[in-house]
Amino acid sequence: MADTVRYDMTEGLATITLNRPEAMNALDNELKNALRDALRRAADDPEVRAVLLTGAGRAFCVGQDLKEHVGALEEHGGAALTTVEEHYNPITLAIATMPKPVVAAVNGVAAGAGAGFAFAADHRIVADTASFTTAFAGVALSTDSGMAWTLPRLVGPGRAAELLLFPRAVKAAEALELGLAHRVVPAEDLAAEAEAVARGLAEGPTVAFAAMKEALAFGASHSLAETLDKEAELQLRAGGSADHRIAVEAFVQKARPRYTGR
């Protein structure tokens, strides 16, 4: 794993930290490759039951490293934007579709693709000093990192268009009000709070969580009848898990279930 991304797996929780604090975790090629590979590693590892994604230093991620991008434009022109297909798309898909919950601990500014990655997570815990900005219009670009899909679902299509056409810093309190954040905590408490939430998910019924993620994604683009069929299919899968049996037995015995993630 490159130094630009730190990866730690402890007791079922994979913590992935963007680690270019001197550049506010701007996405150069090394970081993009490392982040994509780290997320795929966590997605594919059956021992990982939840993921915590955060940034080192004072930023979560300010998006594309524009200093590197200028050189790529001079050399390749518009073809420099193949990074969207090579990096941003697989990163976003890994976050949104891995069969385990992803918590984003947004420790500072999240801009452009950095905001897009946070929006793709299942749960966002945000420091009270952090902010979000779409940023794309400011550099004459369209959306990427899934923001055309995630943002309208979080804030509605009208507000999504406003935030894209008129990019600005959405501070933590407003982000909570709009639905971009699930909870806002004091900056000094963020790491502990986010780890506690993510570790709680890592101790939960992983098969059921995976089915919930799949059901929500399916329901976003299918009819009620189709979604009911999908729910029936996924409920059979969850019902066949060891964790379902553990949960039922614990309920009958009035005990706390201890899930295995299987």
PDB file of all heavy atoms in Angstrom, residues 225-250:
ATOM      1  N   ALA A 225     -43.234  -3.054  -7.689  1.00  0.00           N
ATOM      2  CA  ALA A 225     -43.380  -4.501  -7.868  1.00  0.00           C
ATOM      3  C   ALA A 225     -42.027  -5.184  -8.009  1.00  0.00           C
ATOM      4  O   ALA A 225     -41.779  -6.239  -7.415  1.00  0.00           O
ATOM      5  CB  ALA A 225     -44.259  -4.794  -9.090  1.00  0.00           C
ATOM      6  N   GLU A 226     -41.133  -4.576  -8.803  1.00  0.00           N
ATOM      7  CA  GLU A 226     -39.798  -5.156  -8.979  1.00  0.00           C
ATOM      8  C   GLU A 226     -39.016  -5.127  -7.671  1.00  0.00           C
ATOM      9  O   GLU A 226     -38.287  -6.072  -7.346  1.00  0.00           O
ATOM     10  CB  GLU A 226     -39.046  -4.387 -10.066  1.00  0.00           C
ATOM     11  CG  GLU A 226     -39.610  -4.590 -11.463  1.00  0.00           C
ATOM     12  CD  GLU A 226     -39.012  -3.616 -12.465  1.00  0.00           C
ATOM     13  OE1 GLU A 226     -38.811  -2.431 -12.114  1.00  0.00           O
ATOM     14  OE2 GLU A 226     -38.743  -4.036 -13.599  1.00  0.00           O
ATOM     15  N   THR A 227     -39.198  -4.045  -6.919  1.00  0.00           N
ATOM     16  CA  THR A 227     -38.486  -3.922  -5.649  1.00  0.00           C
ATOM     17  C   THR A 227     -38.999  -4.935  -4.628  1.00  0.00           C
ATOM     18  O   THR A 227     -38.215  -5.488  -3.844  1.00  0.00           O
ATOM     19  CB  THR A 227     -38.613  -2.493  -5.108  1.00  0.00           C
ATOM     20  OG1 THR A 227     -38.077  -1.570  -6.075  1.00  0.00           O
ATOM     21  CG2 THR A 227     -37.855  -2.316  -3.807  1.00  0.00           C
ATOM     22  N   LEU A 228     -40.304  -5.193  -4.639  1.00  0.00           N
ATOM     23  CA  LEU A 228     -40.847  -6.218  -3.746  1.00  0.00           C
ATOM     24  C   LEU A 228     -40.249  -7.586  -4.055  1.00  0.00           C
ATOM     25  O   LEU A 228     -39.909  -8.353  -3.149  1.00  0.00           O
ATOM     26  CB  LEU A 228     -42.371  -6.264  -3.862  1.00  0.00           C
ATOM     27  CG  LEU A 228     -43.110  -5.067  -3.252  1.00  0.00           C
ATOM     28  CD1 LEU A 228     -44.582  -5.100  -3.651  1.00  0.00           C
ATOM     29  CD2 LEU A 228     -42.963  -5.046  -1.739  1.00  0.00           C
ATOM     30  N   ASP A 229     -40.104  -7.892  -5.337  1.00  0.00           N
ATOM     31  CA  ASP A 229     -39.476  -9.164  -5.719  1.00  0.00           C
ATOM     32  C   ASP A 229     -38.027  -9.224  -5.249  1.00  0.00           C
ATOM     33  O   ASP A 229     -37.558 -10.268  -4.758  1.00  0.00           O
ATOM     34  CB  ASP A 229     -39.544  -9.357  -7.235  1.00  0.00           C
ATOM     35  CG  ASP A 229     -40.944  -9.660  -7.735  1.00  0.00           C
ATOM     36  OD1 ASP A 229     -41.788 -10.080  -6.920  1.00  0.00           O
ATOM     37  OD2 ASP A 229     -41.193  -9.469  -8.942  1.00  0.00           O
ATOM     38  N   LYS A 230     -37.322  -8.108  -5.407  1.00  0.00           N
ATOM     39  CA  LYS A 230     -35.920  -8.060  -4.961  1.00  0.00           C
ATOM     40  C   LYS A 230     -35.839  -8.210  -3.441  1.00  0.00           C
ATOM     41  O   LYS A 230     -34.968  -8.918  -2.918  1.00  0.00           O
ATOM     42  CB  LYS A 230     -35.256  -6.757  -5.419  1.00  0.00           C
ATOM     43  CG  LYS A 230     -33.860  -6.512  -4.880  1.00  0.00           C
ATOM     44  CD  LYS A 230     -32.877  -7.597  -5.256  1.00  0.00           C
ATOM     45  CE  LYS A 230     -32.444  -7.503  -6.689  1.00  0.00           C
ATOM     46  NZ  LYS A 230     -31.316  -8.421  -6.987  1.00  0.00           N
ATOM     47  N   GLU A 231     -36.739  -7.558  -2.723  1.00  0.00           N
ATOM     48  CA  GLU A 231     -36.736  -7.689  -1.269  1.00  0.00           C
ATOM     49  C   GLU A 231     -36.962  -9.139  -0.845  1.00  0.00           C
ATOM     50  O   GLU A 231     -36.326  -9.629   0.107  1.00  0.00           O
ATOM     51  CB  GLU A 231     -37.813  -6.792  -0.658  1.00  0.00           C
ATOM     52  CG  GLU A 231     -37.450  -5.320  -0.648  1.00  0.00           C
ATOM     53  CD  GLU A 231     -38.473  -4.476   0.080  1.00  0.00           C
ATOM     54  OE1 GLU A 231     -39.670  -4.844   0.079  1.00  0.00           O
ATOM     55  OE2 GLU A 231     -38.071  -3.446   0.655  1.00  0.00           O
ATOM     56  N   ALA A 232     -37.871  -9.825  -1.538  1.00  0.00           N
ATOM     57  CA  ALA A 232     -38.126 -11.229  -1.213  1.00  0.00           C
ATOM     58  C   ALA A 232     -36.869 -12.065  -1.425  1.00  0.00           C
ATOM     59  O   ALA A 232     -36.520 -12.927  -0.600  1.00  0.00           O
ATOM     60  CB  ALA A 232     -39.284 -11.765  -2.057  1.00  0.00           C
ATOM     61  N   GLU A 233     -36.177 -11.811  -2.530  1.00  0.00           N
ATOM     62  CA  GLU A 233     -34.935 -12.537  -2.822  1.00  0.00           C
ATOM     63  C   GLU A 233     -33.884 -12.282  -1.760  1.00  0.00           C
ATOM     64  O   GLU A 233     -33.236 -13.212  -1.254  1.00  0.00           O
ATOM     65  CB  GLU A 233     -34.411 -12.096  -4.201  1.00  0.00           C
ATOM     66  CG  GLU A 233     -33.026 -12.579  -4.546  1.00  0.00           C
ATOM     67  CD  GLU A 233     -32.417 -11.782  -5.698  1.00  0.00           C
ATOM     68  OE1 GLU A 233     -33.175 -11.322  -6.575  1.00  0.00           O
ATOM     69  OE2 GLU A 233     -31.178 -11.614  -5.696  1.00  0.00           O
ATOM     70  N   LEU A 234     -33.723 -11.010  -1.384  1.00  0.00           N
ATOM     71  CA  LEU A 234     -32.693 -10.652  -0.417  1.00  0.00           C
ATOM     72  C   LEU A 234     -33.055 -11.117   0.989  1.00  0.00           C
ATOM     73  O   LEU A 234     -32.170 -11.458   1.788  1.00  0.00           O
ATOM     74  CB  LEU A 234     -32.469  -9.137  -0.435  1.00  0.00           C
ATOM     75  CG  LEU A 234     -31.867  -8.581  -1.732  1.00  0.00           C
ATOM     76  CD1 LEU A 234     -31.904  -7.069  -1.744  1.00  0.00           C
ATOM     77  CD2 LEU A 234     -30.437  -9.076  -1.916  1.00  0.00           C
ATOM     78  N   GLN A 235     -34.343 -11.140   1.287  1.00  0.00           N
ATOM     79  CA  GLN A 235     -34.749 -11.607   2.610  1.00  0.00           C
ATOM     80  C   GLN A 235     -34.459 -13.096   2.783  1.00  0.00           C
ATOM     81  O   GLN A 235     -34.080 -13.544   3.875  1.00  0.00           O
ATOM     82  CB  GLN A 235     -36.236 -11.323   2.840  1.00  0.00           C
ATOM     83  CG  GLN A 235     -36.684 -11.336   4.280  1.00  0.00           C
ATOM     84  CD  GLN A 235     -36.106 -10.178   5.085  1.00  0.00           C
ATOM     85  OE1 GLN A 235     -34.887 -10.072   5.255  1.00  0.00           O
ATOM     86  NE2 GLN A 235     -36.981  -9.317   5.582  1.00  0.00           N
ATOM     87  N   LEU A 236     -34.605 -13.849   1.688  1.00  0.00           N
ATOM     88  CA  LEU A 236     -34.234 -15.262   1.741  1.00  0.00           C
ATOM     89  C   LEU A 236     -32.744 -15.417   2.033  1.00  0.00           C
ATOM     90  O   LEU A 236     -32.331 -16.297   2.797  1.00  0.00           O
ATOM     91  CB  LEU A 236     -34.594 -15.959   0.424  1.00  0.00           C
ATOM     92  CG  LEU A 236     -36.079 -16.260   0.195  1.00  0.00           C
ATOM     93  CD1 LEU A 236     -36.296 -16.780  -1.228  1.00  0.00           C
ATOM     94  CD2 LEU A 236     -36.589 -17.268   1.218  1.00  0.00           C
ATOM     95  N   ARG A 237     -31.941 -14.556   1.405  1.00  0.00           N
ATOM     96  CA  ARG A 237     -30.498 -14.609   1.636  1.00  0.00           C
ATOM     97  C   ARG A 237     -30.168 -14.288   3.086  1.00  0.00           C
ATOM     98  O   ARG A 237     -29.416 -15.014   3.749  1.00  0.00           O
ATOM     99  CB  ARG A 237     -29.779 -13.634   0.711  1.00  0.00           C
ATOM    100  CG  ARG A 237     -28.264 -13.677   0.825  1.00  0.00           C
ATOM    101  CD  ARG A 237     -27.610 -12.505   0.113  1.00  0.00           C
ATOM    102  NE  ARG A 237     -28.022 -12.398  -1.284  1.00  0.00           N
ATOM    103  CZ  ARG A 237     -27.732 -11.361  -2.065  1.00  0.00           C
ATOM    104  NH1 ARG A 237     -27.050 -10.331  -1.549  1.00  0.00           N
ATOM    105  NH2 ARG A 237     -28.135 -11.324  -3.314  1.00  0.00           N
ATOM    106  N   ALA A 238     -30.745 -13.195   3.596  1.00  0.00           N
ATOM    107  CA  ALA A 238     -30.472 -12.816   4.984  1.00  0.00           C
ATOM    108  C   ALA A 238     -31.017 -13.866   5.951  1.00  0.00           C
ATOM    109  O   ALA A 238     -30.387 -14.181   6.968  1.00  0.00           O
ATOM    110  CB  ALA A 238     -31.091 -11.452   5.279  1.00  0.00           C
ATOM    111  N   GLY A 239     -32.179 -14.424   5.622  1.00  0.00           N
ATOM    112  CA  GLY A 239     -32.781 -15.416   6.495  1.00  0.00           C
ATOM    113  C   GLY A 239     -31.997 -16.703   6.578  1.00  0.00           C
ATOM    114  O   GLY A 239     -32.125 -17.466   7.550  1.00  0.00           O
ATOM    115  N   GLY A 240     -31.168 -16.953   5.575  1.00  0.00           N
ATOM    116  CA  GLY A 240     -30.334 -18.144   5.588  1.00  0.00           C
ATOM    117  C   GLY A 240     -28.997 -17.946   6.261  1.00  0.00           C
ATOM    118  O   GLY A 240     -28.176 -18.876   6.308  1.00  0.00           O
ATOM    119  N   SER A 241     -28.754 -16.747   6.784  1.00  0.00           N
ATOM    120  CA  SER A 241     -27.457 -16.463   7.396  1.00  0.00           C
ATOM    121  C   SER A 241     -27.395 -17.003   8.825  1.00  0.00           C
ATOM    122  O   SER A 241     -28.408 -17.141   9.516  1.00  0.00           O
ATOM    123  CB  SER A 241     -27.198 -14.952   7.421  1.00  0.00           C
ATOM    124  OG  SER A 241     -28.083 -14.305   8.323  1.00  0.00           O
ATOM    125  N   ALA A 242     -26.177 -17.270   9.258  1.00  0.00           N
ATOM    126  CA  ALA A 242     -25.966 -17.681  10.646  1.00  0.00           C
ATOM    127  C   ALA A 242     -26.378 -16.572  11.601  1.00  0.00           C
ATOM    128  O   ALA A 242     -26.915 -16.839  12.691  1.00  0.00           O
ATOM    129  CB  ALA A 242     -24.499 -18.056  10.861  1.00  0.00           C
ATOM    130  N   ASP A 243     -26.164 -15.328  11.198  1.00  0.00           N
ATOM    131  CA  ASP A 243     -26.494 -14.208  12.080  1.00  0.00           C
ATOM    132  C   ASP A 243     -27.995 -14.103  12.336  1.00  0.00           C
ATOM    133  O   ASP A 243     -28.412 -13.664  13.416  1.00  0.00           O
ATOM    134  CB  ASP A 243     -25.969 -12.900  11.481  1.00  0.00           C
ATOM    135  CG  ASP A 243     -24.475 -12.723  11.702  1.00  0.00           C
ATOM    136  OD1 ASP A 243     -23.922 -13.437  12.566  1.00  0.00           O
ATOM    137  OD2 ASP A 243     -23.864 -11.886  11.014  1.00  0.00           O
ATOM    138  N   HIS A 244     -28.823 -14.460  11.347  1.00  0.00           N
ATOM    139  CA  HIS A 244     -30.270 -14.434  11.590  1.00  0.00           C
ATOM    140  C   HIS A 244     -30.639 -15.435  12.686  1.00  0.00           C
ATOM    141  O   HIS A 244     -31.426 -15.114  13.598  1.00  0.00           O
ATOM    142  CB  HIS A 244     -31.031 -14.753  10.296  1.00  0.00           C
ATOM    143  CG  HIS A 244     -32.504 -14.879  10.497  1.00  0.00           C
ATOM    144  ND1 HIS A 244     -33.271 -13.847  10.973  1.00  0.00           N
ATOM    145  CD2 HIS A 244     -33.353 -15.932  10.310  1.00  0.00           C
ATOM    146  CE1 HIS A 244     -34.538 -14.234  11.055  1.00  0.00           C
ATOM    147  NE2 HIS A 244     -34.605 -15.501  10.662  1.00  0.00           N
ATOM    148  N   ARG A 245     -30.075 -16.604  12.623  1.00  0.00           N
ATOM    149  CA  ARG A 245     -30.360 -17.596  13.653  1.00  0.00           C
ATOM    150  C   ARG A 245     -29.862 -17.122  15.019  1.00  0.00           C
ATOM    151  O   ARG A 245     -30.535 -17.302  16.045  1.00  0.00           O
ATOM    152  CB  ARG A 245     -29.721 -18.940  13.277  1.00  0.00           C
ATOM    153  CG  ARG A 245     -30.362 -19.584  12.050  1.00  0.00           C
ATOM    154  CD  ARG A 245     -29.902 -21.015  11.868  1.00  0.00           C
ATOM    155  NE  ARG A 245     -28.471 -21.127  11.615  1.00  0.00           N
ATOM    156  CZ  ARG A 245     -27.926 -20.990  10.417  1.00  0.00           C
ATOM    157  NH1 ARG A 245     -28.682 -20.715   9.346  1.00  0.00           N
ATOM    158  NH2 ARG A 245     -26.620 -21.120  10.248  1.00  0.00           N
ATOM    159  N   ILE A 246     -28.674 -16.517  15.026  1.00  0.00           N
ATOM    160  CA  ILE A 246     -28.131 -15.980  16.273  1.00  0.00           C
ATOM    161  C   ILE A 246     -29.055 -14.906  16.849  1.00  0.00           C
ATOM    162  O   ILE A 246     -29.326 -14.873  18.063  1.00  0.00           O
ATOM    163  CB  ILE A 246     -26.720 -15.405  16.034  1.00  0.00           C
ATOM    164  CG1 ILE A 246     -25.724 -16.546  15.768  1.00  0.00           C
ATOM    165  CG2 ILE A 246     -26.253 -14.548  17.204  1.00  0.00           C
ATOM    166  CD1 ILE A 246     -24.373 -16.074  15.258  1.00  0.00           C
ATOM    167  N   ALA A 247     -29.558 -14.027  15.980  1.00  0.00           N
ATOM    168  CA  ALA A 247     -30.430 -12.940  16.434  1.00  0.00           C
ATOM    169  C   ALA A 247     -31.733 -13.469  17.018  1.00  0.00           C
ATOM    170  O   ALA A 247     -32.213 -12.993  18.056  1.00  0.00           O
ATOM    171  CB  ALA A 247     -30.717 -11.997  15.272  1.00  0.00           C
ATOM    172  N   VAL A 248     -32.325 -14.455  16.347  1.00  0.00           N
ATOM    173  CA  VAL A 248     -33.589 -15.014  16.830  1.00  0.00           C
ATOM    174  C   VAL A 248     -33.390 -15.718  18.170  1.00  0.00           C
ATOM    175  O   VAL A 248     -34.191 -15.550  19.111  1.00  0.00           O
ATOM    176  CB  VAL A 248     -34.187 -15.976  15.786  1.00  0.00           C
ATOM    177  CG1 VAL A 248     -35.390 -16.719  16.358  1.00  0.00           C
ATOM    178  CG2 VAL A 248     -34.585 -15.207  14.530  1.00  0.00           C
ATOM    179  N   GLU A 249     -32.332 -16.495  18.275  1.00  0.00           N
ATOM    180  CA  GLU A 249     -32.056 -17.197  19.530  1.00  0.00           C
ATOM    181  C   GLU A 249     -31.799 -16.203  20.662  1.00  0.00           C
ATOM    182  O   GLU A 249     -32.264 -16.397  21.795  1.00  0.00           O
ATOM    183  CB  GLU A 249     -30.859 -18.121  19.358  1.00  0.00           C
ATOM    184  CG  GLU A 249     -31.153 -19.331  18.466  1.00  0.00           C
ATOM    185  CD  GLU A 249     -29.904 -20.115  18.122  1.00  0.00           C
ATOM    186  OE1 GLU A 249     -28.816 -19.752  18.640  1.00  0.00           O
ATOM    187  OE2 GLU A 249     -29.998 -21.069  17.327  1.00  0.00           O
ATOM    188  N   ALA A 250     -31.067 -15.137  20.360  1.00  0.00           N
ATOM    189  CA  ALA A 250     -30.789 -14.133  21.378  1.00  0.00           C
ATOM    190  C   ALA A 250     -32.065 -13.426  21.810  1.00  0.00           C
ATOM    191  O   ALA A 250     -32.255 -13.121  22.997  1.00  0.00           O
ATOM    192  CB  ALA A 250     -29.770 -13.118  20.844  1.00  0.00           C
TER     193      ALA A 250
END
